[in-house]
Structures are given as structure tokens and as C-alpha cells.
Amino acid sequence: MNRNAFGPSLLAAAGLIAAVATAPAETINAAGATFPAPIYQKWFEEFRKLHNDVQVNYQSIGSGGGIRQLTEGTVDFGASDVPMTDEQLSKITKYKVLHFPTVMGGVVPTYNIDGVSASLKFTGDTLAGIFLGTIKKWNDAALKKDNPGVNLPDKEITVVHRSDGSGTSFVWTDYLSKISPAWKSKTGAGPSVNWPVGLGGKGNEGVAGLVKQTPNSIGYVELIYVVQNKMSYGEVRNASGTFVKADFNTVSEAAAGAAKNMPDDFRVSITNAPGKNSYPIASFTWLLIPGKIDNAAKKAAIKSFLQWMLTSGQQYAGAMSYAPLPKSVVAKEEKQIAAIQ
Amino acid sequence: MIERNARRKLVNKAMLALTAVCTVLTVAVLFLILGFLVWNGGRSLDWNFFTRLPMPAGESGGGMANAILGSGITILIAVLIGVPIGFAGGIYLAEFGGTTLPFLVRYTADLLNGVPSIVIGIFAWTIVVVPMHRFSAWAGGFALSMMMVPIGLRSTEQFLRAVPNSLREGALALGASKTRTVLTVVVPAAKQGILTGLILGVARIAGETAPLLFTSLNNQFWSQKLNEPIATLPLMIYTHAISPYEDWHRQAWAAGLVLLALVLVANIAARWILARGVSAQRG
Amino acid sequence: MAGIAVIAAPPPSTPRDFLRRLKSGDQIAHLVTLIFAASVFLVTLLLVYELWIHSGASRAKFGLGFLFSSTWDPIAEKFGALPFIYGTVLTSFLALLISVPLGVGAAIFLAELAPARLSNACTFLVELLAAVPSVIFGLLAMFTLVPLLREYGEPFLKNTLGFLPLFQGPAYGVGYLAAGLILAIMTFPFIISISREALLAVPREQREAALALGATKWESTWQVVVPHARLGIIGSIFLALARALGETMAVTMVIGNDPGIHASLLSPGYTIAAVIANEFTEANGDVYQSALVELGLVLFFLTMIINAAARLLILLTTRKGAKQA
């Protein structure tokens, strides 16, 4: 190496690192659920436009990841579509974890079937059968019964589920466990279950990607992913017997009952909710905020963001196919912001 | 007898043709890969890619500017940590040495070289992420430096040893100390080889993804500090490829092309330097 | 070199002598470079130590049974390595099944038949293949190999060989077969490059002797040259195997992520590297996390043994070649 060039280039390199190492501004690190990732990324981008010095780096690694990294303390806050269990909460001793619902969303059955563009109707039983592997082909009698006009092909169903620890999986399996005793006994509910059949995709993104590329496949994803990618998704029969498609209204109706009786820690499940037009596979999604934040700048930024999220942020929900929070829940959460020390 | 000879001749021709086919197939694969990347990546490469930050999922027009810088920074950290160790260690093995320690060093360097990169990632996680309680560029850079060390060590030793003893003896005869000899005579004589090793090492770590998965994590924005997560190009390719968004797939191809171009250029440059250096020494 | 240094000065006999000598640049340089070299040794030891420590909870809970259990249940906190060991070994084996005949065939062509310039050019190109990053292979495999397998490759196999349990089940495209194929492509360069070197190292007299006895070129190659170079060729296979066992990104993107043991090559599966890549950031709880680290430890030992065997074989070839020459 030319000795004359070596010294200066080393200095330049050190200078670059020093410049990056000492730059001001606070980056807040967050990680968690893929279910709300699109709207969170949008929110953090918009919030940064308003508050130039607050940069929230959100990594969508799944609800399991969000809970884990919050427990390890490697992120400033987490996000999950499944509330933390008491056991998980007991592992964090430094502070109390506060659950902040952000939006509601619907988990929809999305499919990619040759020649079928219609909206298929599913019941809890047919979905359980498909994901258990007992319903193997698209033209199975049970599916044909609910979809009389549709030309379902004689092809095998490729099931796609999550390979990572997922709140979306929890919502899906929670619903199936409530509806189908066979599912409950064989597989049960949880963020990571022993899937009887199918391929595993990483994150909502991975499942959507696999379904999009694999003919005759079915998977479950949050509504935004099918809307953004123009994928087909089906209607699900709710507790009242109506076949509903997930949208703003049907998801809001699913939350209506829970909103009235919201517990103080905001941990509820709204799957298979009552209501004529309520969507049965809906869920709140939560930000997991530490009850005690030492860094004053980060604390102020997080509190400011939460306030913005509960007011201006909610306006973005509808356009992105999520349902905004009910007013009573918002009021309750605003009180919880004050609890952050 | 004649039939048997004819059969043997036939077998001869057939097998030789078969081996030619094998060669054509394997070389063809390389061209197919290059072709696909150039075709898909070339179409997707635009100015946005190099200058913009990633957009929220589903929105188009974003780029990977932060990932390009992030890769540069993590590689720089890796080089600043890994190269001195490899270089100095290589000098020890070639110029000083002994029996036990050099054997142990060589053996463990080879061992380290063979460790799967995901396991190196776990190691970096235990050493940097866990104590620091955060994902950071430091952790990613450290992981990559662990892959850089054996390459630097081996190539330094190899090319120092290749320097003829006459050069060393000449310098010593003129009264230079050992250190002086090594630094001013032997190392410059081997500089092309050592530089080649450095370039090949950088090319290798530039493309590594697995060690970065849970060390430097990823970042939507520019990293403000080195103890924050940082975006890197190979990781972006991975996350974008497995997503459902067409726009992200496009960007993954573009990033793949950029990464491959850098890696191949580095490899070809390294070999060219080496070839020139060898012929200069001979001539 | 060391001899010259020793002649230049007698060894230090007392600590004061040592300190006095230390002031001379040579001893400092010796010490400094020694420290750097030793750090390589120490860091590797540290790596093994950290893997051992962080897998403690899992080792305590499951013991050796971990290697033979096929449960992977994060909720019940029961973990077993068998599906991942199975997937890792199966995909690597599949890769070698394809790349060894092709690779050795190409090496034979390049070493024995091709004119020198063509041989060098082709080898150069093949070695460039070794430089392509794993994630790019994964990208290509996802968007080109997998659809091809799903539309044509796997249905073809099912139609022709579907009576074997190896080729039954739905044609997903992703799975053991896709992973094996992409690994085969990634291991070509190692086999070709090293086997070619081993073949070129065989002394000319061997070939000439065979030809003088009336052998055809092929017979001379196959019955004389190749056996002579067999240790190097086998060494290259081991090296390729070690690489395939540890491959992460390309495999993760096409294996289908299913932690089960399946007989069919068309089925989705999992490898050690892939499960660590997918689940490490979310492994909640000591046992889960240490199970993943323990998997890393298993992979480490696996590749260490294979690499050591490879190096030994290659060393034996060169030494043997040197002895004969």
C-alpha cells in the first residue's frame, strides 16, 4: 500500500466514524408486531416531520420479538398484538409495563386460487379444517357448500402460517380455539403453535409474500397487507351467523362491547365478539411502554408521541384499513400517559 | 479384440464429452446468475435507490441510501478491528514464531474461518449486544471483524513467507534491526499480496447477512450514533425479498446488483493486483 | 530468520536483562505481534466458552436427549434438535449428491482436457461464483428456482417417481429440494477449484505410464490420475460439506420453515442455521434462547469436525504429492 496515502485515509475513516458517533438527536428504538407495522411506520414518519429531533426506529420482528426485546431492555418500547401474560410481565422487575392500545385491526383469510377472484365465504369450522389439514382440496364439500356459485378447482390447498412468534397467530388461533373443539384440543391458541400443516412465513410480510407467489394457497394476515398488495380475501361467519368482511365498521363493532368494559390494564381479546356485523377475527394491538423511563428526553418524546397518536394519529387509521380506537378507550389511555414516570 | 477397442474408444469420447458438459453447466450457472441480476436489478436501479431513505411499507419511491452508508460503516469498523489483528498476527507467524503458539494460532484461525457466520453472530451478540443492552453498529462491525481476522492473518503470513530470505538477510547485513527489516523491507515487498487479502476479506464480509441479523438489527433512518441499530445492504435485500410488496422486490434486485457488482469488482481487482505483483517480482 | 536473531544476541538470563532487552525495538515488536497473534487464539476460545455458557439452561434441562428429541414447542418450553439436524444433513447431502459428480467432472475436464488458457479462464469464473453472497443466491432462488420447481420440476418428479415416499406430497416449490439445489450451486466452486488443483498435482509420469501401456485418455484419467488425487478430491468434498452445513440466508429463504421431520424431499423443513436466523430475536425466556444457542454449538462442532477432516485430507494430498515429486 502506498505509504503516503495510508495515513490520510486512516484519518478520514476515523473522522467519518467520529462524526457519526457524536452526532446529536435521540433515536428511540422500538420493535415488535408486524400486524400494525405499516401504520406505525407511517406514524413515526409523520411524527418526525412534526418533531425533527425525534426519530423512532421501529423494526417489525413479530410480537414475540417485541416482548422479548423489551424484556431484555434492548429497545425503548415494544409492540404486540397479544397482551403480555402475567408470567411475561413478572420477568420485568425494573418497572411496570403499560399496555397502550393503538388501533384495532382484522386478521383475514387471504388466498391465491387459480381462476377465483370472488370473495369466498369461510366458517370457523372450514378454516379450522383447512389449517388442521383435514380439508385438503379447494373443491372440498364443506367449502363448496358455503360458496355455491364459485368454481373451486380440484387442487390441493397450500397452507401458509407464521414461522415466528406472532400476535397475529395468537388472534387467529384464539378464534379457531373458540370455534372449533378439534382445533383447541389438537393445536390450541398461542403466538407459536405446532402447526399441523403448511409453510412458515416470517412476519405478516412473509406470509403475504408466500401466498402471493404460491398458487392455490391460503394464509392469514392483517387487512392492510391484502389491501396494499391487492390480494383476495374472504368473509368469515361471525357469532351471529352473518358472513362479514373485515373493514373499518365491522372491526369497530367487534370492539364495541370490550370498549364499554375495558379493564384498567387494557388487556382484552375481542375475537368472536357478539354483534350482528362484527368481524370475528379482530384484535386490538398494543404498544408496550415502560412505566418508568430514566432518560428525560426519551420520556418526553414518548409521552408526546402517545398523545399525538391518540388524537391526530387516529386519523390515519381508516385510510390504512385499521379501525380507530373508540372514544372511551382514548380517554382512558390519556389518563395512563400521566402514569409514565 | 477390435470390438473391445472400439468400445473403449467410444467410452473415452463419451466420458470426455460428459466432463465438458459438466464444465459448461457450472460455468453457465454463473452467467445465468449475473444475467438475472443485471436484467432484474438494472431495470430497478434508479436515483432514488441511492439517495432516499426507505418509505413506510407499501409506499413507493423509497431507497436504500442509509443501508449503503450503514454497510460502509460496519465494514469500516470491521476493518479497523480485524485488520490490525490479522496483520500483526501474520507478521508474528511469519517473522518471529516459535513452535507451540504459532501452531495454536494457525489452528484456531482456521477454526474461526470455518465457523458458520450465524454462529459468529451469536458470539457477537453475547460479547457486545448483551453487555451493552442494545443492538448497535459496533456489534455488527465486531461480528464482521471476527470473519476478517483469519483472512487477514492467513494472507499476511502467506505473502510474508513468500518474500525471499535474501531480502531479509541483505537488510540485516546492512545493520537494520529485525523490526526495521520487517517494516521497511519485507512488508513492502509483500504489500500486493497483503492488499489482495484485505480486498478479498472486505468483499467477503460485505455480503454477509447472518451475522448482522441480531447484532446491528436494522434502521429505517440514518443512524445517529454507532451504538444504535444500523441499516445494512445485505439485510435490506433479505427483508425486502421476503415481503409481498412489488416495489420492495424491485429494490431488492437493485440492491443485489449493487452488492454483487461491488463484490465481483473487488475480487477481480484483487486478482489483477496479485497477477501484476507476481509478474513484477519475476521481471 | 529466528536463527539470525539468536546469533545477534544471547538470551536474557535475568529479569533485568529482559527489561533491558525490551527497550530494544525487536523485543517490543516480538511482544506486540505475539499479543495480537495470541488474541486470535484467545478469541476463538472465548467463542466456544460463550456458546457453552449461554446454552447452559437448555443443556441442564434436556441433556443429551436434546440431540434426539423432535419436539419444538416454545409455549411448553420443550425443545429438541433432531428436526434441524435432519434438515441440515439432508439438504447438505442432497447438495453434494448433485455438485460432486458435476464438480468432479468439470474438474477433470479443466485439469486434463482443456487447454491451459481455457482452463484458467473457466476456473477464474467458477471461483468468482464462490464470492457471490449467500443472500443473493437466496434472492435468485426465491424468484427463479422456486417457481420453476413448483411449476415444472416437482410435478415432473411426482409423476415419474411419485411411488417413492421421497417424492410425495404437494408441490410447494419451497422445501428440502429447493434448499438442496441452491446449496449445490453454492458448493460447485469449492469442489471444482480444489479437485482441479489436486488433479494438476498428480505427476506427469503417472499419466504417461498409463498411456504408454495403451490406455485411452479417459482410462488413464479415471483409473490412474483420479485415484492418485483422491485424497484432495475427498478433501474438497468435505470442505464443500462444511460450507453447506453452515449456510444460512439462501436456505432460510427457500426451505419453508417447518420444524418437523419429513420423508419427502418436496416437503418444507428447517435447518439449524435457518431456525436460529428466524427465531433468535424473539426467543423469550432462558430455556428457549439457550436452546437456540445450543443449536449453534451443535452446528459449530459439526462444521469443526468436517473442516478438520477436510484439512487433513488436503494436507495429506499435498504432502503425498511432494513426496512423490
Side-chain angles (χ1 to χ4, degrees):
Chain A
M1 190 179 288
N2 186 347
R3 285 178 70 195
N4 286 338
F6 185 67
S9 50
L10 192 64
L11 270 172
L16 177 63
I17 290 198
V20 178
T22 55
E26 202 73 56
T27 304
I28 298 177
N29 289 301
T34 59
F35 178 106
I39 193 170
Y40 286 0
Q41 286 165 2
K42 183 89 184 148
W43 277 348
F44 296 132
E45 178 73 26
E46 293 300 317
F47 193 71
R48 188 175 74 109
K49 288 184 193 160
L50 295 171
H51 300 257
N52 220 332
D53 54 340
V54 178
Q55 197 166 275
V56 181
N57 171 28
Y58 181 77
Q59 289 304 315
S60 72
I61 58 178
S63 302
I67 294 175
R68 159 81 189 284
Q69 298 310 325
L70 182 69
T71 314
E72 296 286 318
T74 51
V75 292
D76 297 306
F77 63 88
S80 168
D81 326 309
V82 49
M84 287 175 76
T85 61
D86 289 331
E87 199 201 328
Q88 287 167 337
L89 287 169
S90 67
K91 292 216 173 98
I92 304 184
T93 50
K94 280 166 66 178
Y95 50 73
K96 184 168 175 262
V97 176
L98 301 171
H99 288 76
F100 279 87
T102 51
V103 286
M104 286 103 62
V107 181
V108 304
T110 176
Y111 46 85
N112 172 3
I113 312 175
D114 294 337
V116 173
S117 52
S119 177
L120 294 179
K121 294 181 164 56
F122 297 99
T123 62
D125 291 309
T126 52
L127 286 174
I130 292 173
F131 278 79
L132 276 172
T134 50
I135 297 181
K136 296 189 206 291
K137 287 201 173 179
W138 280 113
N139 60 352
D140 186 283
L143 288 169
K144 279 171 92 156
K145 184 166 85 87
D146 292 321
N147 298 282
V150 183
N151 192 1
L152 291 164
D154 178 29
K155 291 275 166 75
E156 286 177 16
I157 305 180
T158 298
V159 171
V160 182
H161 54 74
R162 291 284 289 270
S163 65
D164 50 334
S166 155
T168 314
S169 286
F170 174 77
V171 177
W172 186 255
T173 53
D174 184 43
Y175 168 71
L176 288 180
S177 297
K178 283 182 180 167
I179 293 289
S180 160
W183 179 268
K184 189 164 181 183
S185 57
K186 181 143 196 254
T187 320
S192 282
V193 297
N194 247 330
W195 298 97
V197 289
L199 309 173
K202 189 160 168 61
N204 263 295
E205 300 93 340
V207 172
L210 270 175
V211 170
K212 207 170 171 193
Q213 283 163 26
T214 314
N216 303 312
S217 59
I218 183 171
Y220 57 89
V221 291
E222 209 284 329
L223 184 56
I224 182 81
Y225 291 91
V226 300
V227 168
Q228 277 179 340
N229 292 285
K230 305 191 182 22
M231 295 162 71
S232 310
Y233 62 109
E235 305 166 27
V236 184
R237 193 175 61 188
N238 66 11
S240 316
T242 337
F243 283 96
V244 283
K245 218 164 177 179
D247 66 29
F248 185 118
N249 292 312
T250 56
V251 171
S252 294
E253 193 171 328
K260 281 196 223 115
N261 302 314
M262 180 64 73
D264 286 335
D265 64 358
F266 296 99
R267 298 189 289 166
V268 285
S269 158
I270 55 174
T271 49
N272 210 29
K276 183 160 173 301
N277 284 318
S278 68
Y279 184 66
I281 322 183
S283 177
F284 281 98
T285 182
W286 296 265
L287 285 179
L288 308 168
I289 311 279
K292 189 163 158 315
I293 303 175
D294 292 324
N295 182 321
K298 284 191 183 177
K299 180 165 61 183
I302 291 176
K303 279 182 148 178
S304 160
F305 171 75
L306 287 170
Q307 188 60 44
W308 178 88
M309 180 273 288
L310 289 170
T311 48
S312 318
Q314 294 295 308
Q315 292 159 17
Y316 291 92
M320 296 187 80
S321 311
Y322 295 94
L325 298 168
K327 294 260 182 330
S328 57
V329 176
V330 169
K332 219 171 154 142
E333 286 189 56
E334 282 174 329
K335 290 200 201 112
Q336 192 176 238
I337 297 182
I340 302 175
Q341 292 166 332
Chain B
M1 182 66 178
I2 298 188
E3 283 165 17
R4 189 154 171 263
N5 272 348
R7 190 171 53 92
R8 283 170 63 204
K9 282 208 179 123
L10 190 64
V11 167
N12 187 45
K13 282 216 167 78
M15 294 313 283
L16 299 179
L18 200 62
T19 57
V21 166
C22 291
T23 312
V24 166
L25 276 176
T26 48
V27 173
V29 164
L30 177 70
F31 282 108
L32 273 174
I33 291 176
L34 284 176
F36 259 110
L37 266 166
V38 169
W39 172 241
N40 281 313
R43 286 187 302 169
S44 322
L45 216 52
D46 58 13
W47 194 234
N48 276 345
F49 176 80
F50 290 103
T51 54
R52 309 268 310 265
L53 288 176
M55 296 283 246
E59 294 181 26
S60 61
M64 292 197 187
N66 60 343
I68 296 174
L69 182 65
S71 273
I73 291 176
T74 43
I75 292 174
L76 195 57
I77 295 176
V79 163
L80 288 175
I81 298 175
V83 166
I85 299 178
F87 184 61
I91 292 180
Y92 173 78
L93 289 179
E95 302 296 321
F96 296 99
T99 40
T100 0
L101 189 60
F103 170 74
L104 285 174
V105 171
R106 280 194 200 100
Y107 180 74
T108 52
D110 268 345
L111 193 65
L112 194 58
N113 194 41
V115 173
S117 57
I118 188 99
V119 177
I120 301 259
I122 298 181
F123 177 50
W125 178 82
T126 63
I127 296 282
V128 187
V129 177
V130 171
M132 273 179 76
H133 277 295
R134 52 201 316 162
F135 298 104
S136 60
W138 288 118
F142 176 78
L144 294 180
S145 75
M146 288 296 101
M147 303 183 71
M148 192 75 197
V149 163
I151 299 176
L153 188 86
R154 240 204 266 142
S155 73
T156 305
E157 185 193 357
Q158 182 185 339
F159 287 102
L160 284 177
R161 276 192 189 280
V163 173
N165 256 345
S166 50
L167 279 170
R168 289 185 188 83
E169 288 166 6
L172 288 170
L174 286 171
S177 72
K178 179 103 179 256
T179 316
R180 201 122 198 245
T181 310
V182 169
L183 286 178
T184 59
V185 175
V186 184
V187 167
K191 69 174 183 284
Q192 258 129 357
I194 297 176
L195 182 63
T196 308
L198 180 74
I199 296 177
L200 287 175
V202 166
R204 164 122 187 248
I205 63 177
E208 285 291 337
T209 321
L212 301 173
L213 287 170
F214 30 85
T215 48
S216 55
L217 207 68
N218 203 357
N219 202 327
Q220 297 295 105
F221 306 104
W222 301 106
S223 287
Q224 308 282 30
K225 299 204 194 98
L226 288 179
N227 61 351
E228 301 284 356
I230 195 166
T232 46
L233 208 54
L235 197 86
M236 282 287 203
I237 297 177
Y238 174 58
T239 51
H240 281 49
I242 62 175
S243 77
Y245 309 106
E246 288 299 339
D247 188 62
W248 280 21
H249 291 172
R250 249 188 1 92
Q251 289 186 46
W253 284 114
L257 181 62
V258 168
L259 188 61
L260 187 65
L262 287 171
V263 165
L264 287 185
V265 162
N267 267 279
I268 295 173
R271 278 158 207 270
W272 182 73
I273 293 176
L274 202 58
R276 266 190 42 193
V278 167
S279 61
Q281 264 185 345
R282 286 219 194 102
Chain C
M1 291 159 281
I4 292 176
V6 162
I7 290 172
S13 46
T14 64
R16 188 187 280 171
D17 273 344
F18 181 75
L19 278 172
R20 200 183 306 141
R21 190 75 78 55
L22 203 57
K23 291 208 178 105
S24 97
D26 279 356
Q27 285 287 34
I28 295 181
H30 190 141
L31 196 64
V32 166
T33 54
L34 186 148
I35 290 174
F36 275 100
S39 70
V40 176
F41 170 64
L42 292 171
V43 145
T44 314
L45 283 184
L46 186 64
L47 186 148
V48 183
Y49 172 75
E50 290 287 340
L51 285 178
W52 186 258
I53 292 288
H54 282 263
S55 59
S58 168
R59 278 182 298 106
K61 186 165 179 192
F62 306 113
L64 265 180
F66 181 72
L67 296 173
F68 304 106
S69 160
S70 53
T71 328
W72 189 260
D73 191 343
I75 305 289
E77 290 204 318
K78 279 176 71 168
F79 302 102
L82 200 58
F84 310 102
I85 297 177
Y86 174 77
T88 307
V89 170
L90 180 65
T91 50
S92 304
F93 189 67
L94 205 58
L96 288 182
L97 209 62
I98 298 168
S99 67
V100 167
L102 276 175
V104 173
I108 290 174
F109 179 77
L110 291 172
E112 303 294 309
L113 298 167
R117 279 181 58 184
L118 181 64
S119 176
N120 287 335
C122 282
T123 311
F124 171 71
L125 289 173
V126 164
E127 284 173 0
L128 277 185
L129 203 58
V132 175
S134 175
V135 70
I136 292 186
F137 277 114
L139 182 65
L140 286 157
M142 268 186 79
F143 292 114
T144 54
L145 185 64
V146 165
L148 277 175
L149 276 177
R150 193 176 48 228
E151 300 297 313
Y152 306 108
E154 291 181 359
F156 172 72
L157 285 169
K158 285 179 69 168
N159 288 335
T160 51
L161 298 169
F163 54 91
L164 293 169
L166 278 179
F167 297 106
Q168 289 172 358
Y172 294 112
V174 295
Y176 293 119
L177 189 61
L181 280 175
I182 196 72
L183 283 176
I185 296 176
M186 295 173 82
T187 49
F188 280 160
F190 297 94
I191 297 183
I192 294 177
S193 167
I194 298 174
S195 297
R196 178 175 166 271
E197 296 288 327
L199 288 166
L200 286 174
V202 172
R204 208 136 55 94
E205 298 83 53
Q206 299 283 337
R207 291 183 191 80
E208 288 171 1
L211 290 171
L213 286 169
T216 61
K217 181 92 179 159
W218 172 251
E219 283 165 353
S220 150
T221 306
W222 188 244
Q223 293 175 19
V224 177
V225 181
V226 168
H228 210 269
R230 73 176 177 279
L231 284 178
I233 296 178
I234 296 176
S236 78
I237 296 177
F238 272 84
L239 213 66
L241 177 62
R243 169 86 196 259
L245 290 171
E247 242 335 300
T248 314
M249 300 319 293
V251 173
T252 310
M253 289 160 94
V254 299
I255 191 128
N257 303 335
D258 178 59
I261 301 182
H262 307 281
S264 168
L265 293 179
L266 307 184
S267 153
Y270 235 148
T271 63
I272 295 178
V275 72
I276 297 176
N278 275 332
E279 300 193 5
F280 202 79
T281 47
E282 59 174 46
N284 215 342
D286 278 338
V287 184
Y288 194 176
Q289 186 181 299
S290 66
L292 287 170
V293 177
E294 192 175 352
L295 277 175
L297 194 62
V298 169
L299 187 62
F300 172 78
F301 280 124
L302 205 55
T303 50
M304 181 177 97
I305 294 170
I306 306 275
N307 263 317
R311 257 178 294 118
L312 191 65
L313 285 165
I314 295 177
L315 194 67
L316 283 176
T317 320
T318 53
R319 209 179 289 165
K320 198 172 170 197
K323 265 200 218 145
Q324 303 267 15

